[in-house]
Amino acid sequence: MSTVKGSHILLRHRDNPALSTYEGYVKDGGFKAWKQAVTKMAPEAVVNEVFDSGLRGRGGAGFPTGLKWRFIDKNNWPHYVVVNADESEPGTFKDREIMEKNPYQFLEGVMLTAYAVNANRAYIYLRGEFWQLAAELDKQIARLRKEKHLGKKLFGKDYELELYTHLGAGAYICGEETALLESLEGKLGQPRLRPPFPPSFGLYGKPTIVNNVETLANVPLIIEKGAKWYRSFGTEKSPGTKIFSLSGRVAKPGNYELPLGTTYGELIMQHGGGILDGGKIKAIMSAGASSSLIVANDQALATPMDYESVPSLGAQLGSASIIVIDETVDLKWLVDKTVHFFKHESCGKCTPCREGTYWMQNITHRLLHGEAEQKDVDLLKDVAMNMKGKCLCALGEFATEAVVSSIERFPKDFKLKAGAKTVAGELKVTHD
Amino acid sequence: MNALQTKYGRDIQAILAKYPDDQKRSAVMPLLYVAQREGGHVSRQDLADIAEIIGTTPTEVASIVGFYTLYHDAPAGKNRMQVCNDLPCAMRGADAFLQGVCENLGIEVGGTTADGLVTVEAVMCLAACDNAPMFQVQDYENITYHENQTVESAVALVEKWRKAEAKNK
Ligand SMILES: Cc1cc2nc3c(=O)[nH]c(=O)nc-3n(C[C@H](O)[C@H](O)[C@H](O)COP(=O)(O)O)c2cc1C
Ligand code: SF4
Ligand code: FES
C-alpha cells in the first residue's frame, strides 16, 4: 500500500525521495492501482470511484473530475487524454515539483485516466521551458513500456496504451485547454469557440479529456484507497488536499500540500514563516497574477482556502498560487507588472483583450513613470471594466482582476500626489 | 529528401511517429526545435523543409515561429539567458538582478555581448518563483534552469562559457 504521511498525498517524495525512481515507487506499492484497474475493474468503475471522491480540477476552474469524464462522447472514437502541463500562471510551480520528484505517481494517474475513458493514447503537453523535465518523462515512459505497463495487451487484457510528451514553446495562453489542443494540432495556440467542449470535440475533433497534472496525480491513491479515504481530507464540498504554491514577500516560499480548507493565515504565517524581513502583510493574490487582490485583514487570514470560501473575499481559489504582498509594494508598480504579463500573453484573437491590455499598459506606464494624472486612474479602471464579459476566453477577464480590485480596495495607492504627479522614485520597483 | 531530413532523418522519423499518420501537422513544434539546433534560429530554408515534411506552406510554419517565444527567426547570442522578472520574482529582487547582470556584461536587456556568446532577455514566469532570482538558458540544443542566483553566480557561468569557447578555438 502506498504510504501517506500527514497530508502528503501528492508530495509524498518529501517523505520518501526514492519514489522518484521506478524501483522506489513500485516498492511503495506503485502501479498496484493500475494493475487492479486493468485486470479487475471496468472503466466505468474507475470513473465512479473518482466521481465519488469529489476530486475537482486543480488547473483553475475546479470542475468535478469524475463528472467531466462521464461527459466523454461514447459514440465517437478514438478517445484521447491530454494532460495540461503548461503551468505558466505567475506564482504557480506545483506541477513541476510533482513531475520532477514524483513522476511515476503522476504517470500512473494519466494511465488510469486513459483507461477510465477508453483512450489508447495520451499526450502530456508541457510548457516548452520544461525541456529537461520532458526528457526525463520520456525516459520514464520508456521504462514503463519495458516493464509492460504500457504497450499492447496489457496484463493479457484487450487494452493498449501509449503515452507521449509534447513540448510547447512559450505561450501562457496554451494553458487554456482549447488553445492547448490547437497548439498540439500544430496550429496557433488560440482558444476555440465553445461549445462544443473537449469531451465531445477535442484533439483532432475527437472526444478528449483535458486535465491538469495535479488533478491526475491524485487518481492512483483514490483508486487504491478509495473515495471514502480521499474524503477524509479537506471539506465536504472541497475534498482532498491541494498544493499551495506560496511566493512573493513571504519568508519561506515554496509548495505546501495541505488539506483544502486550511486558512490563509496558517499557510502564510505558520508554514510560510510570516512576512519577509519582518514586514507587514498588505494583500494576498489567491490565484497567481490572474486573481483579485484580497485585503489581508484578520478576516481574510481566517478564511479557509477552498472552492466555496474564497469567493466571499471577492476572489477565487483557482490554481491556489498564493502571492503575498507586503507594505513595501506599491500597487501601481504591481498592476504594471500584471498588465505587462497579460498584454504580452494575449493571443490577439479578439479585440477587447488585444486592445484593452495595450491601453491598460499605456496607462500603467504613465502611472509608473510619474506622468499620470488622477483621471488616468479612472480611465484605467474604465478600460478594464469595458473588457469584462466581452472576451472570448478567460485570459481577457484575468487581465482586469488585479487592476480593478487594486483600485477599488486600495484607494490610497492610487491617490496621486498634489500636482497630479507621482514620482517614480517613490515606487518600490526593486527588492533585494 | 530535403536538407533537414538528410541531416536529422532519424530524429524526424521518431517525432512523426508520435502522432497519428494523418496528423503530421502536430509535428511542427518539435520539428522547429530540430531546425533551431542549427544556429539557434529558424531559417527560410527550414520553413520550406518543415512545410514539406508536414504538408503545409512555409507561411503557415512562419506564423508558428512568430507566435511562440522560444522560436526565433533571427540569430542572437549562442546562449540566451532568459531572466524571469515577472511579479513574484520581482518581489524578491529579480529586477535588480537583471540590471546587475546586464551592467556586468556591458549590455542592455535584449542585447548581445560583443563575443556573441550571451543575449540577456527578460521573460515571464518560469514556474520557479520560490527560487528567485532565476533564469533559464536556451542554447541551440537545450533549455536549462538556474535557480537561486546572484549576479556573481550568473557572471561566473558566463565566464565558464567564455573559457570553454576559448578552448574550442
Ligand atoms: C488563460 C488560461 C490559462 C490557463 N492555464 C492553465 C495551466 O497552465 N494549467 C492548467 O492545468 N490549466 C490551465 N487553465 C485551465 C484549463 O483551461 C482547464 O480548465 C484545465 O486544464 C482543466 O483541467 P482540470 O479540470 O484538471 O483543472 C488555464 C485557463 C486559462 C483561461
Ligand atoms: S481573450 Fe485574449 S487571449 Fe483569450 S482569445 Fe481573446 S485575445 Fe486571445
Ligand atoms: S515569477 Fe519568476 S519564476 Fe515565477
Side-chain angles (χ1 to χ4, degrees), chain A residues 89-93, chain B residues 84-90 124-129 132 134:
Chain A
E89 179 69 44
T92 313
F93 42 88
Chain B
C84 170
N85 71 339
D86 216 341
L87 179 64
C89 280
M124 305 299 149
C125 181
L126 295 173
C129 330
M134 64 82 56

Side-chain angles (χ1 to χ4, degrees), chain A residues 96 123 166 168 184 248 337 431, chain B residues 18 26 33 85 92-93 147:
Chain A
R96 183 178 162 219
Y123 288 97
H166 181 100
L184 182 48
K337 279 280 182 196
H431 285 94
Chain B
K18 288 170 112 174
S26 278
Y33 283 124
N85 71 339
R92 306 183 74 86
E147 301 175 63

Side-chain angles (χ1 to χ4, degrees), chain A residues 56-65 68 82-89 92 94-95 172-178 180 191 194 210-216 290 307 319 342 393-396 398:
Chain A
R56 296 171 65 164
R58 305 297 195 225
F63 193 83
T65 305
K68 183 188 280 188
V82 174
V83 183
N84 191 338
D86 196 56
E87 188 160 67
S88 307
E89 179 69 44
T92 313
K94 62 191 177 65
D95 297 340
Y172 168 70
I173 189 59
C174 291
E176 193 283 334
E177 59 184 20
T178 61
L180 185 153
R194 285 147 297 154
V210 183
N211 272 127
N212 168 261
V213 170
E214 183 185 354
T215 310
L216 298 189
S290 295
Y307 295 100
S319 53
F342 290 108
C393 86
L395 186 146
F398 292 165

Side-chain angles (χ1 to χ4, degrees), chain A residues 114-177:
Chain A
Y115 180 75
V117 301
N118 294 289
N120 300 115
R121 258 174 198 258
Y123 288 97
I124 303 167
Y125 184 105
L126 300 113
R127 62 178 298 176
E129 292 82 354
F130 289 168
W131 184 286
Q132 296 197 311
L133 179 46
E136 288 303 312
L137 285 173
D138 283 342
K139 284 187 218 154
Q140 289 147 356
I141 291 168
R143 179 73 193 262
L144 293 182
R145 294 201 82 223
K146 199 174 141 234
E147 303 291 344
K148 306 237 181 314
H149 284 301
L150 293 172
K152 293 192 193 324
K153 294 257 171 233
L154 295 172
F155 306 109
K157 297 280 174 181
D158 196 18
Y159 180 66
E160 64 178 83
L161 178 63
E162 292 295 347
L163 305 187
Y164 303 96
T165 59
H166 181 100
L167 275 177
Y172 168 70
I173 189 59
C174 291
E176 193 283 334
E177 59 184 20

Side-chain angles (χ1 to χ4, degrees), chain A residues 308-344:
Chain A
E308 313 79 68
S309 308
V310 183
S312 74
L313 299 171
Q316 299 294 330
L317 183 75
S319 53
S321 323
I322 283 96
I323 306 177
V324 176
I325 295 139
D326 70 357
E327 294 282 1
T328 66
V329 179
D330 186 308
L331 299 187
K332 291 188 280 302
W333 172 81
L334 184 144
V335 296
D336 181 66
K337 279 280 182 196
T338 64
V339 167
H340 176 69
F341 174 80
F342 290 108
K343 174 176 171 281
H344 187 266

Side-chain angles (χ1 to χ4, degrees), chain A residues 82-86 125-126 166-194 196-198 201-204 208 210 345-349 392-395, chain B residues 26 29 64 67-68:
Chain A
V82 174
V83 183
N84 191 338
D86 196 56
Y125 184 105
L126 300 113
H166 181 100
L167 275 177
Y172 168 70
I173 189 59
C174 291
E176 193 283 334
E177 59 184 20
T178 61
L180 185 153
L181 294 172
E182 290 286 295
S183 176
L184 182 48
E185 289 181 3
K187 302 173 189 154
L188 296 186
Q190 293 182 318
R192 296 176 179 169
L193 277 173
R194 285 147 297 154
F197 292 95
F201 187 94
L203 182 62
Y204 309 130
T208 302
V210 183
E345 301 300 339
S346 167
C347 82
K349 187 165 176 167
L392 178 67
C393 86
L395 186 146
Chain B
S26 278
M29 297 182 76
I64 301 288
F67 189 83
Y68 298 96

Side-chain angles (χ1 to χ4, degrees), chain A residues 366 370-376 416-423:
Chain A
R366 286 213 295 279
E371 293 152 6
E373 296 177 33
Q374 194 61 49
K375 65 175 200 278
D376 284 323
L416 305 189
K417 289 271 151 65
K421 284 216 162 195
T422 60
V423 182

